[in-house]
Amino acid sequence: ESERIIGALAQEASAAADAGRWVHPMDAEQGAELQGGFVVKRRLGSGSTALALQVERDGRIGVLKIAREESLNDRIKQEGEILRRLRHQHVVELLDVVEVSGLWALFLEMAGEQTLAYRLRMEGALTLELLQRFGDELLAVVDWLEQQAIPHRDLKPDNIGVATTPSRKLTLRLFDFSLSSTPADNIRAGTPGYLDPFLEERRPRRWDAAAERYSAACASLNTRV
């Protein structure tokens, strides 16, 4: 019995020592080590629900999207369940769902070297060739998502990554599916300016696939109403 107690105490001491060297995600800066073997490369941004960090684990670089507080854990888990069902070249891939210092997080592949919003800010309007390609890609993935019965509900340049294919061509990847489970009768979910202005006139007033296509068109053309 004494050996069992000693062993349990040793395990607790080891766990406490490990926890002592982990940095809490909300305080993490470049070089910090998080629970789960993640090393922070840089902070990417923060919203009302989650913090995004570029991290490395076992030699793989990705994005860790972490609930800002424990009360938001279920929203992160819900988004993870949606992303588990999605495998498409224009949708960011879910690598793992993990718990980090009591907060649930999604370990995602990088959606690209930059967002479409950042590219537009830095380089201005897209060329006609890119405008047509990006528009075709965006409408194709929206059509595929409709077939899966999984909407995005917040299509905008800030939620679209611009990646480079092995052949060095630019391509789009969607990320942030946090609003995908929003009920259809909530017509205000999303970002003002990219929401279909005719939703108010629907009878009954419900979000639909046409509204998703409207947001996709605004995002690809970088126009807002």
Side-chain angles (χ1 to χ4, degrees), residues 144-205:
W144 181 81
L145 287 170
E146 184 179 348
Q147 295 174 38
Q148 312 308 308
I150 299 177
H152 186 280
R153 294 295 306 263
D154 197 17
L155 290 173
K156 58 182 178 180
D158 288 291
N159 288 339
I160 301 172
V162 180
T164 305
T165 68
S167 61
R168 308 306 300 168
K169 295 184 73 173
L170 297 178
T171 188
L172 299 183
R173 284 204 189 99
L174 302 187
F175 61 94
D176 192 352
F177 283 74
S178 58
L179 295 183
S180 292
S181 300
T182 305
D185 59 2
N186 180 351
I187 64 173
R188 301 190 186 282
T191 301
Y194 296 96
L195 290 173
D196 186 344
F198 300 105
L199 282 174
E200 293 282 353
E201 300 178 13
R202 302 280 205 279
R203 293 295 180 271
R205 295 197 305 173

Side-chain angles (χ1 to χ4, degrees), residues 120-131:
L120 290 168
R121 284 196 300 269
M122 294 296 103
E123 302 186 22
L126 299 173
T127 65
L128 288 178
E129 189 271 334
L130 276 182
L131 187 62

